[in-house]
Amino acid sequence: MDYLVPKTEESMQNIEAIVEDAKKGNKDAFVVIIRKFERQIYTYCYYILKNREEAEDALQEVFIKVYRSIHKYEQQVSFKSWLYKVAYYHCLDMSRKTIRLKRKTLSLQNELQLMEEHRQSANVAEVEELLMNLKREEKNLVLLRAVEQYSFEEIGQIMDCKPATLRKKYERVRRKLIQQKKIKGGVTHEQQMLRTQ
């Protein structure tokens, strides 16, 4: 992004006069202020934030803040110092938000990963235990249908069997697994569905 700099360098007295005009609502005066300082403020924000896009965002937001609060500026310090102060605190806030967001994201990712690992290990152990009591053909049917999610037509081609027959076998195996889970004291899929309704 190219930052325009005015061709003539205004003295500090001129800048103060331009700021006074901007305080009175003169938008052209504020455009002169932006052109005079945007490159310096962008560079300053970039060195604090160490990211081009964030520095560009910060530059825009800093000048919006300055525009909204220019009436608060008093000539006890130079306008340039006041402008840098606004930029400094804005970049500091951005950095804090970024750090907090990164921490929250990392914490959430760690929590989700732990939950997923626990769920997978619990599911794998549970599935293995349930499948242990099935015949080879029943295991194959459950794995192809429930895990691999093949259609009964596809499973029929794999197992060399009619889809209608496989559908009936699958329902029997499913009822058998539900019964095993009830005996074990677990919560069946159907019971979970009823609880969530």
Side-chain angles (χ1 to χ4, degrees):
M1 181 178 217
D2 289 339
Y3 294 95
L4 302 173
V5 179
K7 289 181 172 115
T8 59
E9 288 290 321
E10 288 84 10
S11 67
M12 277 308 171
Q13 292 83 15
N14 266 350
I15 284 300
E16 294 300 334
I18 292 167
V19 169
E20 285 305 312
D21 284 348
K23 282 170 117 176
K24 292 173 188 168
N26 183 334
K27 291 181 182 174
D28 292 336
F30 196 76
V31 169
V32 173
I33 292 169
I34 292 172
R35 288 187 179 152
K36 169 95 176 129
F37 294 106
E38 67 183 337
R39 183 182 296 252
Q40 297 167 48
I41 297 299
Y42 169 80
T43 304
Y44 181 68
C45 292
Y46 178 78
Y47 282 120
I48 293 174
L49 300 169
K50 297 177 178 70
N51 180 294
R52 178 171 275 145
E53 290 82 18
E54 286 181 10
E56 287 175 2
D57 290 345
L59 175 69
Q60 290 178 7
E61 291 163 14
V62 164
F63 278 111
I64 289 168
K65 281 184 177 181
V66 168
Y67 183 77
R68 289 179 180 159
S69 61
I70 199 163
H71 61 279
K72 294 179 184 176
Y73 167 70
E74 293 175 7
Q75 215 171 333
Q76 295 166 347
V77 293
S78 73
F79 179 75
K80 185 176 179 179
S81 298
W82 183 77
L83 181 60
Y84 270 80
K85 184 176 181 179
V86 173
Y88 171 73
Y89 281 108
H90 182 76
C91 290
L92 204 62
D93 285 345
M94 280 184 75
S95 295
R96 286 180 186 143
K97 284 176 187 171
T98 302
I99 288 167
R100 278 197 300 270
L101 184 63
K102 283 180 182 174
R103 282 183 185 157
K104 281 183 182 176
T105 304
L106 189 61
S107 174
L108 184 62
Q109 284 175 339
N110 289 340
E111 194 173 316
L112 289 173
Q113 187 177 354
L114 285 171
M115 285 170 62
E116 183 61 22
E117 286 171 5
H118 176 72
R119 190 185 68 77
Q120 284 178 352
S121 63
N123 282 351
V124 167
E126 192 177 317
V127 168
E128 284 176 354
E129 190 177 327
L130 288 172
L131 290 178
M132 222 167 56
N133 299 321
L134 298 179
K135 297 173 189 167
R136 183 181 297 156
E137 186 185 70
E138 290 174 332
K139 271 187 209 175
N140 194 25
L141 180 57
V142 169
L143 290 171
L144 289 172
R145 180 70 182 156
V147 179
E148 299 298 328
Q149 298 187 343
Y150 282 114
S151 68
F152 286 111
E153 287 74 20
E154 292 169 319
I155 298 170
Q157 292 171 358
I158 294 168
M159 294 179 70
D160 197 26
C161 193
K162 291 181 182 174
T165 307
L166 289 170
R167 190 174 275 112
K168 287 177 188 171
K169 283 184 180 180
Y170 181 75
E171 278 306 310
R172 278 196 304 269
V173 172
R174 200 171 145 277
R175 282 194 296 273
K176 184 177 175 180
L177 290 172
I178 290 169
Q179 196 59 36
Q180 282 179 10
K181 193 149 173 102
K182 279 183 185 173
I183 291 167
K184 212 180 138 211
V187 177
T188 64
H189 178 68
E190 284 79 5
Q191 288 171 328
Q192 283 180 331
M193 292 300 286
L194 287 172
R195 284 181 183 180
T196 55
Q197 289 176 350

mmCIF file with all atom_site columns, all heavy atoms in Angstrom, residues 102-123:
data_model
loop_
_atom_site.group_PDB
_atom_site.id
_atom_site.type_symbol
_atom_site.label_atom_id
_atom_site.label_alt_id
_atom_site.label_comp_id
_atom_site.label_asym_id
_atom_site.label_entity_id
_atom_site.label_seq_id
_atom_site.pdbx_PDB_ins_code
_atom_site.Cartn_x
_atom_site.Cartn_y
_atom_site.Cartn_z
_atom_site.occupancy
_atom_site.B_iso_or_equiv
_atom_site.pdbx_formal_charge
_atom_site.auth_seq_id
_atom_site.auth_comp_id
_atom_site.auth_asym_id
_atom_site.auth_atom_id
_atom_site.pdbx_PDB_model_num
ATOM 1   N N   . LYS A 1 102 ? -5.228  -15.816 21.045 1.00 0.00 ? 102 LYS A N   1
ATOM 2   C CA  . LYS A 1 102 ? -4.359  -16.970 20.805 1.00 0.00 ? 102 LYS A CA  1
ATOM 3   C C   . LYS A 1 102 ? -4.415  -17.944 21.976 1.00 0.00 ? 102 LYS A C   1
ATOM 4   O O   . LYS A 1 102 ? -4.478  -19.148 21.790 1.00 0.00 ? 102 LYS A O   1
ATOM 5   C CB  . LYS A 1 102 ? -2.912  -16.521 20.564 1.00 0.00 ? 102 LYS A CB  1
ATOM 6   C CG  . LYS A 1 102 ? -2.682  -15.967 19.181 1.00 0.00 ? 102 LYS A CG  1
ATOM 7   C CD  . LYS A 1 102 ? -1.249  -15.531 18.991 1.00 0.00 ? 102 LYS A CD  1
ATOM 8   C CE  . LYS A 1 102 ? -1.036  -14.918 17.614 1.00 0.00 ? 102 LYS A CE  1
ATOM 9   N NZ  . LYS A 1 102 ? 0.305   -14.348 17.454 1.00 0.00 ? 102 LYS A NZ  1
ATOM 10  N N   . ARG A 1 103 ? -4.415  -17.400 23.211 1.00 0.00 ? 103 ARG A N   1
ATOM 11  C CA  . ARG A 1 103 ? -4.489  -18.260 24.407 1.00 0.00 ? 103 ARG A CA  1
ATOM 12  C C   . ARG A 1 103 ? -5.812  -19.012 24.454 1.00 0.00 ? 103 ARG A C   1
ATOM 13  O O   . ARG A 1 103 ? -5.848  -20.204 24.729 1.00 0.00 ? 103 ARG A O   1
ATOM 14  C CB  . ARG A 1 103 ? -4.328  -17.419 25.671 1.00 0.00 ? 103 ARG A CB  1
ATOM 15  C CG  . ARG A 1 103 ? -2.892  -17.036 25.952 1.00 0.00 ? 103 ARG A CG  1
ATOM 16  C CD  . ARG A 1 103 ? -2.796  -16.268 27.244 1.00 0.00 ? 103 ARG A CD  1
ATOM 17  N NE  . ARG A 1 103 ? -1.439  -15.786 27.458 1.00 0.00 ? 103 ARG A NE  1
ATOM 18  C CZ  . ARG A 1 103 ? -1.117  -14.763 28.208 1.00 0.00 ? 103 ARG A CZ  1
ATOM 19  N NH1 . ARG A 1 103 ? -2.056  -14.095 28.842 1.00 0.00 ? 103 ARG A NH1 1
ATOM 20  N NH2 . ARG A 1 103 ? 0.140   -14.397 28.355 1.00 0.00 ? 103 ARG A NH2 1
ATOM 21  N N   . LYS A 1 104 ? -6.913  -18.294 24.181 1.00 0.00 ? 104 LYS A N   1
ATOM 22  C CA  . LYS A 1 104 ? -8.227  -18.941 24.201 1.00 0.00 ? 104 LYS A CA  1
ATOM 23  C C   . LYS A 1 104 ? -8.308  -20.020 23.125 1.00 0.00 ? 104 LYS A C   1
ATOM 24  O O   . LYS A 1 104 ? -8.814  -21.114 23.363 1.00 0.00 ? 104 LYS A O   1
ATOM 25  C CB  . LYS A 1 104 ? -9.335  -17.906 23.961 1.00 0.00 ? 104 LYS A CB  1
ATOM 26  C CG  . LYS A 1 104 ? -9.677  -17.095 25.180 1.00 0.00 ? 104 LYS A CG  1
ATOM 27  C CD  . LYS A 1 104 ? -10.815 -16.147 24.876 1.00 0.00 ? 104 LYS A CD  1
ATOM 28  C CE  . LYS A 1 104 ? -11.155 -15.284 26.075 1.00 0.00 ? 104 LYS A CE  1
ATOM 29  N NZ  . LYS A 1 104 ? -12.179 -14.295 25.792 1.00 0.00 ? 104 LYS A NZ  1
ATOM 30  N N   . THR A 1 105 ? -7.815  -19.688 21.930 1.00 0.00 ? 105 THR A N   1
ATOM 31  C CA  . THR A 1 105 ? -7.848  -20.642 20.829 1.00 0.00 ? 105 THR A CA  1
ATOM 32  C C   . THR A 1 105 ? -7.026  -21.871 21.164 1.00 0.00 ? 105 THR A C   1
ATOM 33  O O   . THR A 1 105 ? -7.471  -23.001 20.955 1.00 0.00 ? 105 THR A O   1
ATOM 34  C CB  . THR A 1 105 ? -7.318  -19.984 19.532 1.00 0.00 ? 105 THR A CB  1
ATOM 35  O OG1 . THR A 1 105 ? -8.096  -18.820 19.265 1.00 0.00 ? 105 THR A OG1 1
ATOM 36  C CG2 . THR A 1 105 ? -7.402  -20.910 18.349 1.00 0.00 ? 105 THR A CG2 1
ATOM 37  N N   . LEU A 1 106 ? -5.825  -21.662 21.699 1.00 0.00 ? 106 LEU A N   1
ATOM 38  C CA  . LEU A 1 106 ? -4.950  -22.774 22.062 1.00 0.00 ? 106 LEU A CA  1
ATOM 39  C C   . LEU A 1 106 ? -5.589  -23.628 23.148 1.00 0.00 ? 106 LEU A C   1
ATOM 40  O O   . LEU A 1 106 ? -5.588  -24.859 23.074 1.00 0.00 ? 106 LEU A O   1
ATOM 41  C CB  . LEU A 1 106 ? -3.595  -22.240 22.523 1.00 0.00 ? 106 LEU A CB  1
ATOM 42  C CG  . LEU A 1 106 ? -2.490  -23.263 22.736 1.00 0.00 ? 106 LEU A CG  1
ATOM 43  C CD1 . LEU A 1 106 ? -2.173  -24.005 21.439 1.00 0.00 ? 106 LEU A CD1 1
ATOM 44  C CD2 . LEU A 1 106 ? -1.239  -22.588 23.264 1.00 0.00 ? 106 LEU A CD2 1
ATOM 45  N N   . SER A 1 107 ? -6.172  -22.979 24.154 1.00 0.00 ? 107 SER A N   1
ATOM 46  C CA  . SER A 1 107 ? -6.825  -23.692 25.241 1.00 0.00 ? 107 SER A CA  1
ATOM 47  C C   . SER A 1 107 ? -7.997  -24.510 24.718 1.00 0.00 ? 107 SER A C   1
ATOM 48  O O   . SER A 1 107 ? -8.174  -25.676 25.086 1.00 0.00 ? 107 SER A O   1
ATOM 49  C CB  . SER A 1 107 ? -7.311  -22.688 26.289 1.00 0.00 ? 107 SER A CB  1
ATOM 50  O OG  . SER A 1 107 ? -8.049  -23.328 27.273 1.00 0.00 ? 107 SER A OG  1
ATOM 51  N N   . LEU A 1 108 ? -8.795  -23.900 23.842 1.00 0.00 ? 108 LEU A N   1
ATOM 52  C CA  . LEU A 1 108 ? -9.941  -24.597 23.258 1.00 0.00 ? 108 LEU A CA  1
ATOM 53  C C   . LEU A 1 108 ? -9.486  -25.767 22.403 1.00 0.00 ? 108 LEU A C   1
ATOM 54  O O   . LEU A 1 108 ? -10.047 -26.860 22.473 1.00 0.00 ? 108 LEU A O   1
ATOM 55  C CB  . LEU A 1 108 ? -10.780 -23.621 22.431 1.00 0.00 ? 108 LEU A CB  1
ATOM 56  C CG  . LEU A 1 108 ? -12.058 -24.170 21.822 1.00 0.00 ? 108 LEU A CG  1
ATOM 57  C CD1 . LEU A 1 108 ? -13.024 -24.642 22.902 1.00 0.00 ? 108 LEU A CD1 1
ATOM 58  C CD2 . LEU A 1 108 ? -12.723 -23.117 20.955 1.00 0.00 ? 108 LEU A CD2 1
ATOM 59  N N   . GLN A 1 109 ? -8.434  -25.562 21.601 1.00 0.00 ? 109 GLN A N   1
ATOM 60  C CA  . GLN A 1 109 ? -7.906  -26.644 20.770 1.00 0.00 ? 109 GLN A CA  1
ATOM 61  C C   . GLN A 1 109 ? -7.413  -27.799 21.631 1.00 0.00 ? 109 GLN A C   1
ATOM 62  O O   . GLN A 1 109 ? -7.683  -28.958 21.329 1.00 0.00 ? 109 GLN A O   1
ATOM 63  C CB  . GLN A 1 109 ? -6.753  -26.133 19.892 1.00 0.00 ? 109 GLN A CB  1
ATOM 64  C CG  . GLN A 1 109 ? -7.218  -25.316 18.711 1.00 0.00 ? 109 GLN A CG  1
ATOM 65  C CD  . GLN A 1 109 ? -6.053  -24.721 17.932 1.00 0.00 ? 109 GLN A CD  1
ATOM 66  O OE1 . GLN A 1 109 ? -4.946  -24.586 18.436 1.00 0.00 ? 109 GLN A OE1 1
ATOM 67  N NE2 . GLN A 1 109 ? -6.318  -24.341 16.704 1.00 0.00 ? 109 GLN A NE2 1
ATOM 68  N N   . ASN A 1 110 ? -6.685  -27.483 22.710 1.00 0.00 ? 110 ASN A N   1
ATOM 69  C CA  . ASN A 1 110 ? -6.190  -28.531 23.612 1.00 0.00 ? 110 ASN A CA  1
ATOM 70  C C   . ASN A 1 110 ? -7.343  -29.297 24.247 1.00 0.00 ? 110 ASN A C   1
ATOM 71  O O   . ASN A 1 110 ? -7.307  -30.522 24.341 1.00 0.00 ? 110 ASN A O   1
ATOM 72  C CB  . ASN A 1 110 ? -5.297  -27.930 24.701 1.00 0.00 ? 110 ASN A CB  1
ATOM 73  C CG  . ASN A 1 110 ? -3.966  -27.461 24.165 1.00 0.00 ? 110 ASN A CG  1
ATOM 74  O OD1 . ASN A 1 110 ? -3.527  -27.888 23.096 1.00 0.00 ? 110 ASN A OD1 1
ATOM 75  N ND2 . ASN A 1 110 ? -3.315  -26.575 24.882 1.00 0.00 ? 110 ASN A ND2 1
ATOM 76  N N   . GLU A 1 111 ? -8.361  -28.546 24.684 1.00 0.00 ? 111 GLU A N   1
ATOM 77  C CA  . GLU A 1 111 ? -9.517  -29.184 25.320 1.00 0.00 ? 111 GLU A CA  1
ATOM 78  C C   . GLU A 1 111 ? -10.243 -30.090 24.328 1.00 0.00 ? 111 GLU A C   1
ATOM 79  O O   . GLU A 1 111 ? -10.597 -31.223 24.658 1.00 0.00 ? 111 GLU A O   1
ATOM 80  C CB  . GLU A 1 111 ? -10.463 -28.099 25.838 1.00 0.00 ? 111 GLU A CB  1
ATOM 81  C CG  . GLU A 1 111 ? -11.502 -28.613 26.799 1.00 0.00 ? 111 GLU A CG  1
ATOM 82  C CD  . GLU A 1 111 ? -12.314 -27.486 27.410 1.00 0.00 ? 111 GLU A CD  1
ATOM 83  O OE1 . GLU A 1 111 ? -11.723 -26.462 27.802 1.00 0.00 ? 111 GLU A OE1 1
ATOM 84  O OE2 . GLU A 1 111 ? -13.531 -27.655 27.496 1.00 0.00 ? 111 GLU A OE2 1
ATOM 85  N N   . LEU A 1 112 ? -10.466 -29.586 23.117 1.00 0.00 ? 112 LEU A N   1
ATOM 86  C CA  . LEU A 1 112 ? -11.145 -30.385 22.092 1.00 0.00 ? 112 LEU A CA  1
ATOM 87  C C   . LEU A 1 112 ? -10.332 -31.628 21.733 1.00 0.00 ? 112 LEU A C   1
ATOM 88  O O   . LEU A 1 112 ? -10.891 -32.704 21.545 1.00 0.00 ? 112 LEU A O   1
ATOM 89  C CB  . LEU A 1 112 ? -11.397 -29.544 20.831 1.00 0.00 ? 112 LEU A CB  1
ATOM 90  C CG  . LEU A 1 112 ? -12.469 -28.471 20.963 1.00 0.00 ? 112 LEU A CG  1
ATOM 91  C CD1 . LEU A 1 112 ? -12.487 -27.600 19.711 1.00 0.00 ? 112 LEU A CD1 1
ATOM 92  C CD2 . LEU A 1 112 ? -13.843 -29.097 21.183 1.00 0.00 ? 112 LEU A CD2 1
ATOM 93  N N   . GLN A 1 113 ? -9.021  -31.469 21.654 1.00 0.00 ? 113 GLN A N   1
ATOM 94  C CA  . GLN A 1 113 ? -8.153  -32.611 21.328 1.00 0.00 ? 113 GLN A CA  1
ATOM 95  C C   . GLN A 1 113 ? -8.230  -33.670 22.424 1.00 0.00 ? 113 GLN A C   1
ATOM 96  O O   . GLN A 1 113 ? -8.351  -34.857 22.130 1.00 0.00 ? 113 GLN A O   1
ATOM 97  C CB  . GLN A 1 113 ? -6.717  -32.134 21.142 1.00 0.00 ? 113 GLN A CB  1
ATOM 98  C CG  . GLN A 1 113 ? -5.792  -33.230 20.636 1.00 0.00 ? 113 GLN A CG  1
ATOM 99  C CD  . GLN A 1 113 ? -4.382  -32.718 20.393 1.00 0.00 ? 113 GLN A CD  1
ATOM 100 O OE1 . GLN A 1 113 ? -4.109  -31.533 20.496 1.00 0.00 ? 113 GLN A OE1 1
ATOM 101 N NE2 . GLN A 1 113 ? -3.490  -33.623 20.084 1.00 0.00 ? 113 GLN A NE2 1
ATOM 102 N N   . LEU A 1 114 ? -8.191  -33.230 23.697 1.00 0.00 ? 114 LEU A N   1
ATOM 103 C CA  . LEU A 1 114 ? -8.293  -34.176 24.812 1.00 0.00 ? 114 LEU A CA  1
ATOM 104 C C   . LEU A 1 114 ? -9.642  -34.889 24.795 1.00 0.00 ? 114 LEU A C   1
ATOM 105 O O   . LEU A 1 114 ? -9.711  -36.103 25.005 1.00 0.00 ? 114 LEU A O   1
ATOM 106 C CB  . LEU A 1 114 ? -8.109  -33.453 26.152 1.00 0.00 ? 114 LEU A CB  1
ATOM 107 C CG  . LEU A 1 114 ? -6.682  -33.053 26.503 1.00 0.00 ? 114 LEU A CG  1
ATOM 108 C CD1 . LEU A 1 114 ? -6.675  -32.157 27.736 1.00 0.00 ? 114 LEU A CD1 1
ATOM 109 C CD2 . LEU A 1 114 ? -5.813  -34.284 26.745 1.00 0.00 ? 114 LEU A CD2 1
ATOM 110 N N   . MET A 1 115 ? -10.712 -34.124 24.550 1.00 0.00 ? 115 MET A N   1
ATOM 111 C CA  . MET A 1 115 ? -12.044 -34.725 24.490 1.00 0.00 ? 115 MET A CA  1
ATOM 112 C C   . MET A 1 115 ? -12.135 -35.741 23.361 1.00 0.00 ? 115 MET A C   1
ATOM 113 O O   . MET A 1 115 ? -12.677 -36.830 23.528 1.00 0.00 ? 115 MET A O   1
ATOM 114 C CB  . MET A 1 115 ? -13.114 -33.632 24.299 1.00 0.00 ? 115 MET A CB  1
ATOM 115 C CG  . MET A 1 115 ? -13.390 -32.827 25.545 1.00 0.00 ? 115 MET A CG  1
ATOM 116 S SD  . MET A 1 115 ? -14.437 -31.381 25.215 1.00 0.00 ? 115 MET A SD  1
ATOM 117 C CE  . MET A 1 115 ? -15.934 -32.167 24.633 1.00 0.00 ? 115 MET A CE  1
ATOM 118 N N   . GLU A 1 116 ? -11.583 -35.374 22.204 1.00 0.00 ? 116 GLU A N   1
ATOM 119 C CA  . GLU A 1 116 ? -11.630 -36.264 21.040 1.00 0.00 ? 116 GLU A CA  1
ATOM 120 C C   . GLU A 1 116 ? -10.824 -37.527 21.308 1.00 0.00 ? 116 GLU A C   1
ATOM 121 O O   . GLU A 1 116 ? -11.264 -38.633 20.987 1.00 0.00 ? 116 GLU A O   1
ATOM 122 C CB  . GLU A 1 116 ? -11.114 -35.535 19.801 1.00 0.00 ? 116 GLU A CB  1
ATOM 123 C CG  . GLU A 1 116 ? -11.174 -36.346 18.513 1.00 0.00 ? 116 GLU A CG  1
ATOM 124 C CD  . GLU A 1 116 ? -12.578 -36.775 18.121 1.00 0.00 ? 116 GLU A CD  1
ATOM 125 O OE1 . GLU A 1 116 ? -13.573 -36.170 18.546 1.00 0.00 ? 116 GLU A OE1 1
ATOM 126 O OE2 . GLU A 1 116 ? -12.679 -37.771 17.380 1.00 0.00 ? 116 GLU A OE2 1
ATOM 127 N N   . GLU A 1 117 ? -9.634  -37.373 21.901 1.00 0.00 ? 117 GLU A N   1
ATOM 128 C CA  . GLU A 1 117 ? -8.800  -38.548 22.215 1.00 0.00 ? 117 GLU A CA  1
ATOM 129 C C   . GLU A 1 117 ? -9.515  -39.463 23.196 1.00 0.00 ? 117 GLU A C   1
ATOM 130 O O   . GLU A 1 117 ? -9.518  -40.679 23.039 1.00 0.00 ? 117 GLU A O   1
ATOM 131 C CB  . GLU A 1 117 ? -7.450  -38.099 22.796 1.00 0.00 ? 117 GLU A CB  1
ATOM 132 C CG  . GLU A 1 117 ? -6.512  -37.527 21.753 1.00 0.00 ? 117 GLU A CG  1
ATOM 133 C CD  . GLU A 1 117 ? -5.273  -36.877 22.363 1.00 0.00 ? 117 GLU A CD  1
ATOM 134 O OE1 . GLU A 1 117 ? -5.088  -36.946 23.600 1.00 0.00 ? 117 GLU A OE1 1
ATOM 135 O OE2 . GLU A 1 117 ? -4.499  -36.291 21.591 1.00 0.00 ? 117 GLU A OE2 1
ATOM 136 N N   . HIS A 1 118 ? -10.145 -38.860 24.214 1.00 0.00 ? 118 HIS A N   1
ATOM 137 C CA  . HIS A 1 118 ? -10.873 -39.656 25.206 1.00 0.00 ? 118 HIS A CA  1
ATOM 138 C C   . HIS A 1 118 ? -12.049 -40.378 24.547 1.00 0.00 ? 118 HIS A C   1
ATOM 139 O O   . HIS A 1 118 ? -12.272 -41.562 24.769 1.00 0.00 ? 118 HIS A O   1
ATOM 140 C CB  . HIS A 1 118 ? -11.375 -38.758 26.341 1.00 0.00 ? 118 HIS A CB  1
ATOM 141 C CG  . HIS A 1 118 ? -12.212 -39.484 27.342 1.00 0.00 ? 118 HIS A CG  1
ATOM 142 N ND1 . HIS A 1 118 ? -11.674 -40.386 28.235 1.00 0.00 ? 118 HIS A ND1 1
ATOM 143 C CD2 . HIS A 1 118 ? -13.552 -39.476 27.567 1.00 0.00 ? 118 HIS A CD2 1
ATOM 144 C CE1 . HIS A 1 118 ? -12.653 -40.890 28.975 1.00 0.00 ? 118 HIS A CE1 1
ATOM 145 N NE2 . HIS A 1 118 ? -13.794 -40.344 28.583 1.00 0.00 ? 118 HIS A NE2 1
ATOM 146 N N   . ARG A 1 119 ? -12.799 -39.608 23.721 1.00 0.00 ? 119 ARG A N   1
ATOM 147 C CA  . ARG A 1 119 ? -13.960 -40.184 23.040 1.00 0.00 ? 119 ARG A CA  1
ATOM 148 C C   . ARG A 1 119 ? -13.542 -41.332 22.134 1.00 0.00 ? 119 ARG A C   1
ATOM 149 O O   . ARG A 1 119 ? -14.143 -42.399 22.131 1.00 0.00 ? 119 ARG A O   1
ATOM 150 C CB  . ARG A 1 119 ? -14.674 -39.101 22.220 1.00 0.00 ? 119 ARG A CB  1
ATOM 151 C CG  . ARG A 1 119 ? -16.025 -39.536 21.657 1.00 0.00 ? 119 ARG A CG  1
ATOM 152 C CD  . ARG A 1 119 ? -16.620 -38.473 20.775 1.00 0.00 ? 119 ARG A CD  1
ATOM 153 N NE  . ARG A 1 119 ? -15.877 -38.293 19.550 1.00 0.00 ? 119 ARG A NE  1
ATOM 154 C CZ  . ARG A 1 119 ? -15.941 -39.102 18.502 1.00 0.00 ? 119 ARG A CZ  1
ATOM 155 N NH1 . ARG A 1 119 ? -16.689 -40.166 18.524 1.00 0.00 ? 119 ARG A NH1 1
ATOM 156 N NH2 . ARG A 1 119 ? -15.231 -38.853 17.418 1.00 0.00 ? 119 ARG A NH2 1
ATOM 157 N N   . GLN A 1 120 ? -12.461 -41.131 21.372 1.00 0.00 ? 120 GLN A N   1
ATOM 158 C CA  . GLN A 1 120 ? -12.002 -42.172 20.453 1.00 0.00 ? 120 GLN A CA  1
ATOM 159 C C   . GLN A 1 120 ? -11.540 -43.409 21.196 1.00 0.00 ? 120 GLN A C   1
ATOM 160 O O   . GLN A 1 120 ? -11.891 -44.523 20.828 1.00 0.00 ? 120 GLN A O   1
ATOM 161 C CB  . GLN A 1 120 ? -10.873 -41.638 19.562 1.00 0.00 ? 120 GLN A CB  1
ATOM 162 C CG  . GLN A 1 120 ? -11.371 -40.721 18.469 1.00 0.00 ? 120 GLN A CG  1
ATOM 163 C CD  . GLN A 1 120 ? -10.233 -40.161 17.640 1.00 0.00 ? 120 GLN A CD  1
ATOM 164 O OE1 . GLN A 1 120 ? -9.063  -40.321 17.951 1.00 0.00 ? 120 GLN A OE1 1
ATOM 165 N NE2 . GLN A 1 120 ? -10.585 -39.469 16.565 1.00 0.00 ? 120 GLN A NE2 1
ATOM 166 N N   . SER A 1 121 ? -10.765 -43.217 22.276 1.00 0.00 ? 121 SER A N   1
ATOM 167 C CA  . SER A 1 121 ? -10.276 -44.385 23.011 1.00 0.00 ? 121 SER A CA  1
ATOM 168 C C   . SER A 1 121 ? -11.431 -45.122 23.670 1.00 0.00 ? 121 SER A C   1
ATOM 169 O O   . SER A 1 121 ? -11.470 -46.342 23.688 1.00 0.00 ? 121 SER A O   1
ATOM 170 C CB  . SER A 1 121 ? -9.219  -43.978 24.043 1.00 0.00 ? 121 SER A CB  1
ATOM 171 O OG  . SER A 1 121 ? -9.781  -43.130 25.014 1.00 0.00 ? 121 SER A OG  1
ATOM 172 N N   . ALA A 1 122 ? -12.418 -44.360 24.200 1.00 0.00 ? 122 ALA A N   1
ATOM 173 C CA  . ALA A 1 122 ? -13.581 -44.991 24.823 1.00 0.00 ? 122 ALA A CA  1
ATOM 174 C C   . ALA A 1 122 ? -14.407 -45.717 23.775 1.00 0.00 ? 122 ALA A C   1
ATOM 175 O O   . ALA A 1 122 ? -14.828 -46.858 23.975 1.00 0.00 ? 122 ALA A O   1
ATOM 176 C CB  . ALA A 1 122 ? -14.426 -43.944 25.535 1.00 0.00 ? 122 ALA A CB  1
ATOM 177 N N   . ASN A 1 123 ? -14.626 -45.068 22.636 1.00 0.00 ? 123 ASN A N   1
ATOM 178 C CA  . ASN A 1 123 ? -15.412 -45.683 21.566 1.00 0.00 ? 123 ASN A CA  1
ATOM 179 C C   . ASN A 1 123 ? -14.726 -46.917 21.002 1.00 0.00 ? 123 ASN A C   1
ATOM 180 O O   . ASN A 1 123 ? -15.379 -47.921 20.739 1.00 0.00 ? 123 ASN A O   1
ATOM 181 C CB  . ASN A 1 123 ? -15.663 -44.680 20.429 1.00 0.00 ? 123 ASN A CB  1
ATOM 182 C CG  . ASN A 1 123 ? -16.764 -43.704 20.774 1.00 0.00 ? 123 ASN A CG  1
ATOM 183 O OD1 . ASN A 1 123 ? -17.449 -43.854 21.776 1.00 0.00 ? 123 ASN A OD1 1
ATOM 184 N ND2 . ASN A 1 123 ? -16.920 -42.698 19.957 1.00 0.00 ? 123 ASN A ND2 1
#
